[in-house]
Amino acid sequence: MSSADQDTISKAPTGLLMSNYFTIKNPTNNSSDSSFRFKSNSAFISNNNKVLVLAHGTSTNSADNTAAGSGWPFPIYPAVTDKTGSYGAAWSNLDTAYFKAGKPQTLSAWLSFGSGESSETVNGQGMALVLQNNQDGSTEMGAGQEGLGVYGYDKTTNKGLSTSLATPEAVAKTAVQNSIALEFDTQKQDSASAIYPPIMYSIDALYSYYSANTFDTKSISVPAPAGFPDDTVLGAAGSYGHIALTYPSDPATYYPLSIDNTSFYNSLDKGYSMFHIHRQQGADLSDSTDAEGNKVAWHHLTFRWMPSADLKTATISYSFNDRDPDGSINNRDNRIDDNITVDMAQLGNITSDSKIYWGFTGANNNINKNVASKLVSVESIPDLVNASIDTTVTDTTKNKVMFDDPDGGTGDTTDRKVASGDKMQLDYKLTYEDGREDWKNIAAKIILPKNITYDTADGNIGTIKYENGKTEPIPASALSTASDGLQTINYTFLQNLGNISATSKIADIIINGTAVNETDADIKVNDQPAIFTGSNNIESTSTPRFTVLYKKDWTLNLTNPMTDPVTLIYQQDDATLNLSTKLNYTGKTSPQFTANDPIHYQISVGNHNLTYNTTVSANSDTLSDVIPLRTVIEKAGLDFWSLFPNNETQKVTISAIDNDGVTSNTTTYNIQVEPNHLLELNADEALQFQSINYLSLKEYIHRANNYDVSVTSYRNPWMLQVSASELTNGDSKFNGVIVNKNASTTTILTNNPAIIASDNKSYDTETTTSISKLNKWTTDSGLLLRNYGLSSSKKYSGTLTWTIMDYDNSL
């Protein structure tokens, strides 16, 4: 291998031990046709056991050469040597790295293709990630060169001035059978390009046998085969590479075209192109250079498989260049994300438990002697350990959470501005989702963002909180500082994560600190990577970027211009709670508030922290706002009236933060919740009447005590009803009834409910009314006992039933 390749391997991102999961064997599925020259496998595992070397250099294995035709004194035809180039395949070991086709799967790896330099031939041909379902898939392989180790041999037979092509079925038969491939093609084989002439692989006394070398020849007039996914086109393009999905063993993938190679072989006028699915022509698969001028040779790939319930189709989603080599998330322009629905029948007969092979194939050209090796470093194995990381940075002073989207989305919409002096919390949440093994021996390498002073007063730089309730301190001794000021935590977890032998599926790493900026300008803090390397799985993430604002020498003042307390009528129809605020500055030059600047209010009510954002409408020295608190509360999914109970006073505290991160004082609003309306009845415990002689013929018997009934109302007109039961003593009944008597009428109350008092007024304060006073009870009026005649001499008793109700015309 070249020194450049060795350097690339030595700088590969951390990968798993390849020998634990991959098998490399010579192919046995080769065609019996002697013109098929791809008999060997150039792949091997690097000496550090971390990299698959699929193809290296331009050398052709001797098994792929042909001998000269015998004849005397000169051979009938010459030997054909050094044409196949280097090509190879590495397949998963079905005991340790199988792929269940009927279950969602994820794998991730780092790919390296070469520098490109002045020509794409320096990093051609390319490689492919392949899924295949064959009885002994470890010995499957296709053709090299444009075949990338996975596609068929496009045998073109030439005799004199005539050219004939192998059938599409014959080409497909020499590919990896029952397969689906995601190709990363670093060199386009187009018949219109003079750089890539046909390649003669064999010759005999009658014929010469070629690859037309035209798999990427484009033709927009040829329709896609029936049953192929949407966005399928013939051929490909793209300088320094393209990405596409293909069906290698489907004859419909290979399409014969008339070609123009008159510059080389006048009679070679036919060749095969290939149908490419979801072709990404903008994929730059060559090495790049980072902001510091360092060579970046490795490209990250995350590949996901989601089968349908009926196992007829599957969705393949992939993200290319989704991470930088240090493990940080990349959401920049050179990232590619795609989702493709594929036909699972391409894998042959599949059940939900089918274990299929997956692996990588690759090939080099033999045009450029400096062609780079095709390299793969795998960091996660399908279904072995499925894990994820959610990373956030929280400004706990402002309750502002900032995060990055690991799947390439837009992430959060937070403004990502924090003030110097704000309390900060870094949170790395590792979640084991499922798998055949626990995530074992996890070693964390966390590079901390700058411009945060981290808390180590207790001797620890952070804490790991496990799902099982246990905590694990990360000692400050795990922290080191580089010459450029970057701080790195290197720490190995004491617990594995999982549900097999491990007792926790989640580990939450929490690191606290304080944002600091002592300069007179805002500081943009770069994202920093974190890599969590287990013996059987590797995951990486990065912190979001944010800005620490420079310290301001002015203050923001918030006042409450409202009358204290603020009255709120409990459950009043269409009730609102609009709180007025007034803001001004001390020590800031005009304009103090600038049009369109955001103002962020932090609100605390009960045990809930809420926010409200507004925008300055025009330049001003003083800013007055109204916070629609009920709307804010209900948008947060909270029940408004549960926060403001009847007949209680609730405190609401508010502070404001301006566009520069300056935080105001906190001001308090006392919200006095008053009843919507009130109606209460109180009656004395006993009504007693005077004693009389049983022979008495007195018509009305007066009350013997000062009996009274009172009604308390608030915003509620009312009516009072009363009824009386008969007066009895055992089986004896009093010969008379209880009545309500006034100057004009007498109303019998015994067994006859009657309204005896009312008030149609609504009072804004609680008002208590005495019925005896309202009705002007005297000795001869009010509740009396009417005597109808003789009764046995006994003590009689009964029951008065009082009922208070809304007035007829009230609410």
Side-chain angles (χ1 to χ4, degrees):
M1 294 184 67
S2 69
S3 59
D5 286 340
Q6 290 287 6
D7 182 62
T8 300
I9 289 174
S10 68
K11 294 178 179 177
T14 303
L16 301 176
L17 297 178
M18 297 296 98
S19 61
N20 288 352
Y21 305 106
F22 291 95
T23 300
I24 296 174
K25 296 181 180 180
N26 281 326
T28 60
N29 64 312
N30 302 141
S31 169
S32 59
D33 183 348
S34 62
S35 69
F36 185 88
R37 301 312 306 162
F38 302 97
K39 307 287 187 179
S40 60
N41 187 348
S42 301
F44 63 91
I45 296 174
S46 66
N47 55 13
N48 66 1
N49 203 9
K50 296 293 184 68
V51 174
L52 298 173
V53 183
L54 301 172
H56 57 96
T58 62
S59 63
T60 294
N61 190 292
S62 59
D64 298 334
N65 294 328
T66 64
S70 61
W72 190 92
F74 302 105
I76 297 175
Y77 49 85
V80 179
T81 61
D82 300 327
K83 295 299 183 181
T84 62
S86 175
Y87 60 94
W91 297 110
S92 59
N93 185 323
L94 282 196
D95 292 329
T96 59
Y98 60 79
F99 186 115
K100 276 194 175 181
K103 180 181 178 181
Q105 305 284 353
T106 300
L107 67 91
S108 60
W110 294 93
L111 315 180
S112 181
F113 306 94
S115 66
E117 297 178 357
S118 59
S119 170
E120 68 178 12
T121 61
V122 178
N123 65 332
Q125 296 280 348
M127 68 178 80
L129 168 60
V130 185
L131 309 179
Q132 49 119 334
N133 180 30
N134 294 287
Q135 186 172 359
D136 188 7
S138 62
T139 61
E140 283 282 322
M141 193 183 305
Q145 291 280 7
E146 67 174 351
L148 303 183
V150 63
Y151 301 130
Y153 163 46
D154 59 328
K155 178 182 176 181
T156 304
T157 303
N158 178 261
K159 180 181 180 181
L161 299 178
S162 64
T163 301
S164 62
L165 296 178
T167 65
E169 289 75 15
V171 177
K173 192 66 177 176
T174 58
V176 174
Q177 298 300 289
N178 300 314
S179 64
I180 296 173
L182 184 64
E183 72 164 26
F184 302 86
D185 195 339
T186 52
Q187 185 175 302
K188 61 180 183 292
Q189 262 58 36
D190 193 325
S191 65
S193 173
I195 301 175
Y196 315 117
I199 301 172
M200 184 174 72
Y201 288 125
S202 182
I203 190 171
D204 59 28
L206 298 176
Y207 302 104
S208 53
Y209 304 94
Y210 294 87
S211 164
N213 211 15
T214 55
F215 274 176
D216 296 326
T217 301
K218 293 175 65 176
S219 176
I220 60 175
S221 63
V222 179
F228 274 49
D230 293 339
D231 193 13
T232 297
V233 293
L234 188 66
S239 298
Y240 300 106
H242 57 267
I243 302 174
L245 189 125
T246 59
Y247 294 155
S249 59
D250 191 330
T253 294
Y254 306 94
Y255 188 85
L257 287 174
S258 296
I259 61 174
D260 179 13
N261 271 308
T262 55
S263 300
F264 297 91
Y265 300 89
N266 188 48
S267 59
L268 202 63
D269 57 356
K270 299 182 181 68
Y272 276 102
S273 184
M274 278 179 49
F275 282 102
H276 291 68
I277 301 166
H278 281 233
R279 180 183 63 199
Q280 300 285 345
Q281 299 185 157
D284 189 347
L285 305 181
S286 60
D287 296 348
S288 60
T289 303
D290 64 18
E292 288 73 35
N294 301 311
K295 171 186 169 184
V296 178
W298 291 93
H299 305 260
H300 191 266
L301 170 69
T302 301
F303 177 93
R304 300 176 183 85
W305 170 267
M306 181 65 70
S308 62
D310 60 9
L311 301 184
K312 291 183 178 179
T313 62
T315 298
I316 287 176
S317 65
Y318 73 88
S319 298
F320 182 74
N321 279 336
D322 56 332
R323 295 188 185 276
D324 292 330
D326 62 8
S328 58
I329 297 167
N330 171 34
N331 282 325
R332 297 185 294 279
D333 293 339
N334 63 340
R335 173 172 173 154
I336 295 175
D337 296 276
D338 202 359
N339 295 280
I340 310 167
T341 300
V342 299
D343 178 11
M344 286 183 65
Q346 294 289 335
L347 295 175
N349 295 324
I350 292 294
T351 68
S352 59
D353 292 325
S354 292
K355 296 180 182 180
I356 66 172
Y357 287 88
W358 64 278
F360 296 88
T361 69
N364 276 356
N365 65 48
N366 61 345
I367 299 173
N368 194 311
K369 66 179 181 178
N370 295 319
V371 65
S373 292
K374 303 302 172 286
L375 309 174
V376 177
S377 175
V378 177
E379 63 179 9
S380 73
I381 301 295
D383 210 33
L384 186 68
V385 173
N386 295 319
S388 62
I389 306 176
D390 293 319
T391 303
T392 58
V393 173
T394 302
D395 181 338
T396 57
T397 300
K398 297 181 175 65
N399 194 32
K400 179 187 296 184
V401 181
M402 298 166 282
F403 61 93
D404 268 311
D405 182 358
D407 295 322
T410 57
D412 62 276
T413 57
T414 307
D415 62 16
R416 301 195 180 205
K417 295 177 181 178
V418 304
S420 181
D422 283 0
K423 297 296 182 182
M424 307 293 289
Q425 178 176 293
L426 278 60
D427 196 325
Y428 303 84
K429 186 177 182 180
L430 284 63
T431 301
Y432 173 94
E433 294 165 358
D434 55 27
R436 303 193 302 274
E437 296 180 3
D438 292 332
W439 190 4
K440 302 174 182 177
N441 308 315
I442 304 170
K445 180 181 180 181
I446 301 171
I447 300 179
L448 299 175
K450 289 186 174 182
N451 291 90
I452 295 178
T453 300
Y454 294 96
D455 298 343
T456 57
D458 61 353
N460 300 311
I461 181 61
T463 302
I464 304 176
K465 295 182 178 180
Y466 292 98
E467 182 187 27
N468 58 18
K470 295 182 179 180
T471 60
E472 184 178 318
I474 303 175
S477 58
L479 185 66
S480 61
T481 304
S483 58
D484 60 0
L486 277 177
Q487 296 176 288
T488 301
I489 295 173
N490 285 285
Y491 181 76
T492 300
F493 290 23
L494 299 182
Q495 295 189 38
N496 296 331
L497 295 181
N499 58 4
I500 300 172
S501 298
T503 60
S504 184
K505 296 174 68 174
I506 297 174
D508 204 355
I509 302 172
I510 297 173
I511 301 167
N512 291 304
T514 303
V516 58
N517 182 357
E518 300 294 342
T519 72
D520 58 359
D522 297 341
I523 297 176
K524 293 183 178 181
V525 181
N526 291 329
D527 53 334
Q528 296 297 346
I531 300 177
F532 299 88
T533 303
S535 59
N536 54 358
N537 186 61
I538 301 169
E539 299 289 338
S540 58
T541 183
S542 59
T543 53
R545 299 180 180 187
F546 58 94
T547 299
V548 182
L549 305 172
Y550 72 94
K551 281 188 175 181
K552 310 304 185 290
D553 58 0
W554 57 81
T555 57
L556 180 62
N557 311 304
L558 174 65
T559 56
N560 171 10
M562 302 182 73
T563 302
D564 188 56
V566 177
T567 300
L568 176 66
I569 305 302
Y570 184 68
Q571 292 190 341
Q572 184 181 37
D573 291 344
D574 301 322
T576 61
L577 185 55
N578 297 326
L579 302 183
S580 299
T581 64
K582 185 177 181 181
L583 284 170
N584 59 34
Y585 286 103
T586 298
K588 187 180 181 185
T589 57
S590 294
Q592 294 188 348
F593 294 97
T594 304
N596 299 319
D597 274 357
I599 299 293
H600 174 79
Y601 289 98
Q602 292 185 314
I603 306 162
S604 177
V605 53
N607 295 320
H608 301 280
N609 294 317
L610 307 169
T611 60
Y612 176 70
N613 298 311
T614 186
T615 303
V616 177
S617 60
N619 294 358
S620 63
D621 291 333
T622 301
L623 179 65
S624 296
D625 273 324
V626 174
I627 298 175
L629 188 56
R630 179 168 185 174
T631 301
V632 172
I633 289 171
E634 291 180 343
K635 281 187 176 180
L638 302 174
D639 179 60
F640 179 74
W641 292 113
S642 67
L643 294 178
F644 296 95
N646 194 18
N647 266 334
E648 291 188 13
T649 298
Q650 178 68 280
K651 286 187 177 181
V652 177
T653 61
I654 299 177
S655 61
I657 304 170
D658 70 4
N659 190 45
D660 295 311
V662 177
T663 302
S664 75
N665 59 294
T666 298
T667 190
T668 299
Y669 295 75
N670 294 301
I671 312 301
Q672 182 174 305
V673 185
E674 296 184 351
N676 195 329
H677 44 84
L678 175 68
L679 200 57
E680 292 181 350
L681 173 68
N682 288 290
D684 288 346
E685 186 174 350
L687 168 60
Q688 297 177 350
F689 292 100
Q690 294 176 346
S691 298
I692 60 171
N693 189 288
Y694 80 98
L695 295 175
S696 175
L697 297 178
K698 185 177 182 180
E699 184 177 5
Y700 291 99
I701 303 171
H702 299 157
R703 295 180 299 278
N705 64 336
N706 293 325
Y707 182 79
D708 200 2
V709 177
S710 65
V711 174
T712 301
S713 67
Y714 171 72
R715 294 180 176 165
N716 204 134
W718 53 267
M719 296 186 297
L720 181 63
Q721 175 183 277
V722 64
S723 66
S725 67
E726 293 179 335
L727 299 180
T728 61
N729 185 323
D731 293 334
S732 300
K733 295 183 180 179
F734 177 75
N735 188 14
V737 293
I738 296 177
V739 299
N740 180 51
K741 186 176 183 299
N742 56 38
S744 59
T745 61
T746 298
T747 303
I748 296 174
L749 300 180
T750 299
N751 297 325
N752 181 45
I755 301 297
I756 69 165
S758 64
D759 190 343
N760 63 359
K761 295 180 181 178
S762 178
Y763 301 100
D764 288 332
T765 59
E766 287 189 18
T767 301
T768 300
T769 301
S770 165
I771 302 304
S772 65
K773 292 181 180 179
L774 177 68
N775 288 354
K776 299 179 181 180
W777 288 357
T778 66
T779 302
D780 295 317
S781 65
L783 298 183
L784 300 175
L785 186 59
R786 187 170 186 175
N787 184 16
Y788 286 159
L790 298 178
S791 298
S792 300
S793 180
K794 293 183 179 180
K795 185 176 183 178
Y796 297 90
S797 64
T799 301
L800 286 174
T801 301
W802 296 97
T803 303
I804 189 72
M805 62 189 73
D806 291 341
Y807 192 80
D808 285 343
N809 296 322
S810 71
L811 298 175

